[in-house]
Amino acid sequence: MKVLVVGNGGREHAICWKLKQSPLVEKVYCAPGNAGISAVAELVNIQVSDLGALADFAEKNKIELTVAGPEAPLCDGIVDVFRKRNLRIFGPAKAAAELEGSKEFAKSFMQKYSIPTADAESFTEQNPALDYIRRQFGSGAKGIVVKADGLAAGKGVTVALKEEEALQAVRECFSGAFGSAGAKVLIEECLFGEEASILALTDGETIIPLASSQDHKRLMDNDEGPNTGGMGAYSPAPVVTESLMAEIKRSVLDNFLRGIKEEKLCFRGVIYAGIMVTEKGPKVLEFNVRFGDPETQAVLMRLKSDLADVMVKTSDAMLDKVNLEWYDDPAICVVMASGGYPANYEKGFEIKGLADAESTGAVVFHAGTSLKDGKIVNTGGRVLGVTAKGKDISEAIKNAYRAVEKISWKKTFYRKDIAFRAFERLK
Ligand code: AMP
Ligand code: GLY
């Protein structure tokens, strides 16, 4: 069958790479893709926002499975557009994608279906929000989290340990800094603990967790510096023990599924629960309605099962027929970024050493690259996700960094400590 992947990041490269290995798949297309993706898929020059053109392409080329990588087309209703035209697609319908598109919707869904999460209040006016924050700190809160409601491309969340910082974040939201995503503000209790990413497949009837993983959101080693889209990931996350996973399945995933059914939401795709493992058990920080980036790069490297078969069965509401198999070896993904990211950075530098890096056995997933005069150049903030497995976490770390060290361009930047928490747990 022919498949179409929508998106142009490292996550989409990993999805294309894994689909390409399926004996069921004769051809992979990716719209719009990037330089690295062109090695495993034919690139289609259609932007992710052009839902009509994507559906036309799928129809004309007899695409039997479409997978939308990023949240934007899902929140725009790509699944509804495709299904109306009888085109098979993996992902939630627009109404269900609101679980990521609106933090307020997600919070009330969690509260209604007893999914453990931080206490929160939402505000549409600045002064009551400021007063609320002052009262919280006045009664001993150790921190407050301010979230602009709506998609703010991973920004729009401030974890404030000081009152003034929280007040400032609220003022910023109401100043219009996040566009329409700032008209409503969610103010949350600050949770403390270790984070983990739990992704699960669901077709609305069955829910199957994928291998656990952990992202590294901060820019610099030791989790310092500003939040980013993710500087690296690894799977499995040892913080998610078997018993914790069972608790997450019961308190988060099963309740999620009950909510989807009761609300009659169409969800045939992947749900991503960002979890904080607190002293009082796992709590959901956020839902995403798509694969995580860069978690997917590490997770899919460990998947033994045929992804095309799994995605077709999920899209056709036959997930009960799926039995996922995994490689035991851990995997880690180190993100190589452009110097200056997440602020301004320069683009267009030639990337050298890609073939050498892959000759070590690592896989280099491209996130922000393009071809210029026959050369691969950086075009994004996060540029590559160098991913490798090993028989244990320390070997996986060694393998990934050995490949990273072979790659360079002007002003390369990457964290040197990806998977440090897993490594420390071994000691
Ligand atoms: P979100 O976009 O809601 O996932 O938030 C982005 C990041 O902010 C999360 O991955 C956490 O690191 C942090 N965060 C969000 N909500 C909270 C919370 N209630 N307490 C502590 N940290 C949080
Ligand atoms: N890695 C975080 C995300 O995909 O949202």
Side-chain angles (χ1 to χ4, degrees), residues 215 217 229 272 286 288 290-295:
D215 184 11
K217 290 209 166 71
Y272 162 145
E286 61 162 348
N288 296 315
R290 42 143 185 107
F291 284 99
D293 191 338
E295 291 95 323

Side-chain angles (χ1 to χ4, degrees), residues 62 197 205 266:
K62 302 195 166 38
S197 304
E205 289 296 329
C266 173

Side-chain angles (χ1 to χ4, degrees), residues 64 98 147 151 157 297 307 352:
E64 287 184 61
E98 279 297 282
K147 299 184 174 183
L151 291 180
V157 174
Q297 289 83 314
L307 183 64
K352 296 196 178 129

Side-chain angles (χ1 to χ4, degrees), residues 126 158 167-178 182:
Q126 180 166 306
T158 304
L167 298 175
Q168 195 46 39
V170 166
R171 291 186 193 110
E172 197 184 355
C173 284
F174 284 109
S175 75
F178 305 111

